[in-house]
């Protein structure tokens, strides 16, 4: 047994790069999936709306921890070799897609109906209507809640420790097992998460205030 020192701190800090990498992976993949979900949820096709609605309800209605278990332990049953990095990334992408898709659906539907009708009156087809009229306006509305949700993505990566992925939380568990100083170890872990999440929270709050001020003018 050893005491908590600089080398132990650096080990946990080094694991932060995997937390950041996993968060970026989840957000990038979730952004693509979320856009597809949002477009499907607001489309005129009943099948697309039904499928996307079921997808959202399944991933919003079940714990992320359970989703990680199903991906990590279910993939080998289906014959897919999936390591903890891929399993965590895949599960987080699906989960993020569901939540971002629902956030962005609300933003798309928040665009005044007159904008949709004006685009239709100009004879724009669906792709041009969404690309040139609806989505640019929805993007401005969606930016603050999207940045705010990134905080949840970063914190959600901590659950990947349960399947053996060595990010900040898992690194803290390893050091705690060696030092038996949980108060110090997990205080450091909490501080690292705070440093990662606090700037995003401030940015989201600032964006919300600027958006509210713009609407008030």
């Amino acid at each position: 047994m050893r005491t908590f020192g600089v080398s132990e701190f650096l080990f946990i800090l080094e694991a932060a790069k995997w937390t950041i990498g996993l968060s970026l992976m989840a957000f990038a993949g979730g952004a693509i999936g979320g856009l597809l979900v949002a477009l499907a949820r607001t489309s005129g096709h009943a099948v697309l709306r039904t499928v996307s609605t079921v997808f959202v309800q399944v991933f919003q209605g079940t714990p992320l921890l359970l989703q990680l278990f199903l991906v990590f332990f279910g993939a080998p049953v289906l014959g897919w070799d999936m390591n903890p990095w891929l399993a965590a990334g895949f599960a987080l992408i699906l989960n993020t897609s569901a939540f971002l898709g629902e956030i962005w659906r609300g933003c798309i539907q928040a665009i005044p109906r007159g904008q949709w009708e004006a685009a239709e009156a100009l004879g724009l087809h669906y792709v041009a209507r969404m690309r040139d009229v609806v989505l640019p306006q929805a993007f401005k509305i969606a930016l603050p809640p999207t940045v705010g949700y990134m905080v949840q993505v970063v914190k959600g990566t901590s659950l990947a420790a349960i399947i053996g992925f060595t990010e900040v939380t898992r690194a803290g568990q390893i050091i705690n097992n060696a030092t038996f100083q949980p108060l110090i170890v997990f205080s450091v872990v909490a501080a690292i998460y705070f440093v990662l999440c606090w700037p995003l929270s401030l940015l989201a709050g600032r964006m919300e205030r600027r958006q509210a001020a713009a609407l008030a003018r």
Side-chain angles (χ1 to χ4, degrees):
M1 187 173 68
R2 62 180 189 267
T3 58
F4 187 86
V6 175
S7 61
E8 287 74 21
F9 171 77
L10 292 177
F11 178 79
I12 298 175
L13 187 63
E14 178 75 10
K17 69 180 181 182
W18 296 109
T19 291
I20 295 171
L22 186 57
S23 300
L24 292 175
M25 179 182 179
F27 187 78
I32 296 172
L35 180 59
L36 295 176
V37 169
L39 292 175
R41 292 272 280 136
T42 56
S43 71
H45 297 279
V47 174
L48 288 178
R49 288 200 308 271
T50 301
V51 171
S52 59
T53 299
V54 171
F55 175 83
V56 169
Q57 290 178 345
V58 167
F59 282 92
Q60 286 192 349
T62 56
L64 176 56
L65 182 61
L66 178 61
Q67 295 164 22
L68 285 164
F69 278 146
L70 288 175
V71 172
F72 183 65
F73 295 110
V77 175
L78 299 175
W80 300 335
D81 184 18
M82 192 169 288
N83 58 41
W85 165 256
L86 289 178
F90 187 62
L92 283 165
I93 285 173
L94 292 176
N95 184 271
T96 304
S97 296
F99 281 90
L100 286 181
E102 195 64 2
I103 291 171
W104 293 347
R105 174 200 60 78
C107 296
I108 290 173
Q109 292 181 335
I111 303 304
R113 192 61 196 170
Q115 297 290 318
W116 297 76
E117 294 171 352
E120 292 173 1
L122 291 172
L124 297 177
H125 55 79
Y126 176 79
V127 174
R129 189 162 65 242
M130 297 300 292
R131 183 190 63 217
D132 299 329
V133 178
V134 177
L135 290 182
Q137 297 180 73
F139 175 78
K140 295 179 181 178
I141 301 173
L143 203 52
T146 299
V147 174
Y149 184 71
M150 288 177 66
V151 175
Q152 302 303 318
V153 175
V154 173
K155 291 191 292 186
T157 60
S158 63
L159 295 176
I162 203 69
I163 60 172
F165 181 71
T166 307
E167 39 66 68
V168 173
T169 299
R170 179 60 180 162
Q173 292 173 344
I174 293 171
I175 295 300
N176 180 60
N177 291 339
T179 62
F180 290 95
Q181 294 177 288
L183 182 60
I184 296 175
V185 172
F186 291 111
S187 294
V188 170
V189 169
I192 291 174
Y193 278 114
F194 180 78
V195 169
L196 292 176
C197 295
W198 188 49
L200 293 174
S201 298
L202 290 178
L203 180 59
R206 183 178 179 183
M207 287 180 173
E208 288 177 357
R209 290 190 295 271
R210 290 180 61 183
Q211 188 177 84
L215 291 174
R217 288 198 295 266

